[in-house]
Amino acid sequence: MRDPALIESNDADEEDIGALDGIVGFHIRLAHGAVYRHFTETFADLGLTQKQVSVLWLVGDHPEIAQIEVGSRLRMDRATTMTIVNRLEERGLLRRERSSSDGRKQAMFLTEEGEAVLEEAKRCIESHESWLKSRFSEAEIEKLVEMLARIHD
Amino acid sequence: MRDPALIESNDADEEDIGALDGIVGFHIRLAHGAVYRHFTETFADLGLTQKQVSVLWLVGDHPEIAQIEVGSRLRMDRATTMTIVNRLEERGLLRRERSSSDGRKQAMFLTEEGEAVLEEAKRCIESHESWLKSRFSEAEIEKLVEMLARIHD
DNA sequence: CCAATTTGTTAGTAGAGCATACAATTTCGC
DNA sequence: GCGAAATTGTATGCTCTACTAACAAATTGG
């Protein structure tokens, strides 16, 4: 029915994405997706998401940190930060306390279980990062991170 | 009231994310977020998302392409692809037809409006990409894309 | 021809992001 | 010091993306 030559011109090679391949943003999105999927697998047992781990990590590094501070550093708005902190609090990994220095702020701390889970999460991150870094040299990793930072800073 | 030295020890420098800064995956996520936000602003008028534009673009480049093919190339599962194609069809930018060569497949085509919107979207992409690329040299862009491809391939 | 596979579809769940509105608190201008 | 403005947290609701599970229709393979 159809002209084979015409089909060939349309049916491009496997995984061919055509001009889309030249779009930097597209590659960032695909790479993010791949990292996200591997992260999710790695953290399936712990049941933590990227955001949750980031918040846990940040609160562990900076006890008494306020939600607005966490959101600002992880580039999340207040509402988004809330839902993540709520989930961590429900799971008993983190507690909130009214800040003594500023009544508007909530000072956040890790619970004992939170500290333990963070330690385990850091081990998972190590494994996840190894998977990610395995395809690059040290110099390339440095360059990659520096370029990514130019985008998000 | 408060001890300044104590404050300094907790209140780290602006935007300090500590050891999180050494995690490659974290930078990919932040960069993706920044790109996502700029994309959304750029496409606010057109009302299209990254995924929608990608699918539109792919169908434009490969008429008669099946949903499964689109999903595979954009790394989306069938269910996710469905919701995006549904939305594009509802907006009249794309139509589905049962494939004549394989009755299981839906052959997808852009409508006239779809072609027009895709053209406009490509102009928006150009502007969005300029914003993104402005911080890099040509050689850096090439290197960045190549490294990102190593992650998602 | 029958079984397994592929593709599309539907329904349900969940995370993340965003906007809006409101309350409590702090800060700033006067 | 007082009142207005800004900050922070909270609650609600919406959207987009992604995934699972189940099912139907069509194709493919033994």
Side-chain angles (χ1 to χ4, degrees):
Chain A
M1 192 88 209
R2 289 171 300 164
D3 178 359
L6 200 125
I7 293 171
E8 197 154 331
S9 76
N10 284 336
D11 267 12
D13 286 350
E14 206 186 344
E15 306 303 324
D16 179 18
I17 50 173
L20 219 37
D21 189 63
I23 307 300
V24 180
F26 181 75
H27 287 280
I28 290 179
R29 199 156 58 63
L30 282 195
H32 172 259
V35 171
Y36 175 80
R37 276 187 291 274
H38 186 271
F39 187 102
T40 304
E41 281 175 36
T42 309
F43 281 80
D45 291 342
L46 266 176
L48 292 172
T49 66
Q50 288 186 337
K51 287 290 182 196
Q52 289 169 7
V53 172
S54 297
V55 171
L56 221 47
W57 193 314
L58 213 46
V59 175
D61 275 1
H62 306 282
E64 275 189 77
I65 194 169
Q67 284 180 199
I68 193 77
E69 232 353 84
V70 169
S72 155
R73 295 185 195 189
L74 302 181
R75 310 292 194 282
M76 304 186 297
D77 67 10
R78 285 173 297 155
T80 303
T81 307
M82 272 290 299
T83 68
I84 292 159
V85 171
N86 281 348
R87 216 165 293 133
L88 292 173
E89 194 179 36
E90 282 161 21
R91 284 185 55 175
L93 306 181
L94 172 156
R95 66 190 163 81
R96 292 187 247 222
E97 233 177 61
R98 190 141 225 95
S99 168
S100 50
S101 63
D102 188 334
R104 293 168 301 183
K105 293 182 179 176
Q106 294 276 44
M108 295 189 289
F109 305 85
L110 295 189
T111 62
E112 269 188 40
E113 195 190 344
E115 300 274 9
V117 167
L118 177 56
E119 281 314 302
E120 204 171 338
K122 282 182 177 176
R123 280 194 295 277
C124 286
I125 285 280
E126 208 171 326
S127 146
H128 170 64
E129 279 283 295
S130 293
W131 164 85
L132 179 51
K133 287 174 165 175
S134 69
R135 62 208 82 201
F136 302 114
S137 72
E138 275 302 322
E140 282 176 330
I141 290 169
E142 205 175 317
K143 180 71 177 172
L144 178 60
V145 166
E146 188 268 321
M147 286 196 282
L148 292 171
R150 267 192 257 172
I151 296 174
H152 71 244
D153 275 350
Chain B
M1 190 91 207
R2 292 170 300 164
D3 177 1
L6 198 126
I7 293 170
E8 198 153 332
S9 76
N10 282 335
D11 269 10
D13 283 351
E14 206 186 343
E15 306 304 321
D16 178 19
I17 51 173
L20 218 39
D21 190 62
I23 307 299
V24 180
F26 181 74
H27 287 280
I28 290 180
R29 200 156 56 64
L30 282 194
H32 172 259
V35 171
Y36 174 80
R37 277 186 289 275
H38 185 272
F39 187 101
T40 304
E41 281 175 37
T42 308
F43 280 81
D45 291 341
L46 265 176
L48 291 172
T49 66
Q50 287 185 337
K51 287 290 183 197
Q52 288 169 6
V53 171
S54 297
V55 170
L56 220 48
W57 192 313
L58 213 46
V59 175
D61 275 1
H62 305 282
E64 276 188 76
I65 194 170
Q67 284 180 199
I68 194 76
E69 227 3 73
V70 169
S72 155
R73 296 185 194 189
L74 302 180
R75 310 293 194 281
M76 305 185 297
D77 66 9
R78 284 172 297 155
T80 303
T81 306
M82 272 291 299
T83 69
I84 291 160
V85 170
N86 282 346
R87 214 166 295 131
L88 292 173
E89 194 180 36
E90 281 161 21
R91 283 185 55 176
L93 305 182
L94 173 156
R95 68 190 162 81
R96 289 187 251 223
E97 234 176 62
R98 191 142 225 94
S99 168
S100 51
S101 63
D102 187 334
R104 293 168 302 184
K105 293 183 177 174
Q106 295 276 44
M108 296 189 289
F109 305 86
L110 295 189
T111 61
E112 268 188 41
E113 195 190 345
E115 299 274 9
V117 167
L118 176 57
E119 281 314 302
E120 204 170 339
K122 282 182 177 176
R123 280 193 294 275
C124 286
I125 284 279
E126 209 172 326
S127 145
H128 171 65
E129 279 284 294
S130 293
W131 165 86
L132 179 51
K133 288 174 163 175
S134 68
R135 62 208 83 200
F136 303 113
S137 72
E138 275 301 322
E140 282 175 329
I141 291 169
E142 205 173 318
K143 181 69 178 172
L144 177 60
V145 166
E146 189 269 322
M147 286 197 283
L148 292 171
R150 267 192 256 173
I151 296 174
H152 72 243
D153 274 349

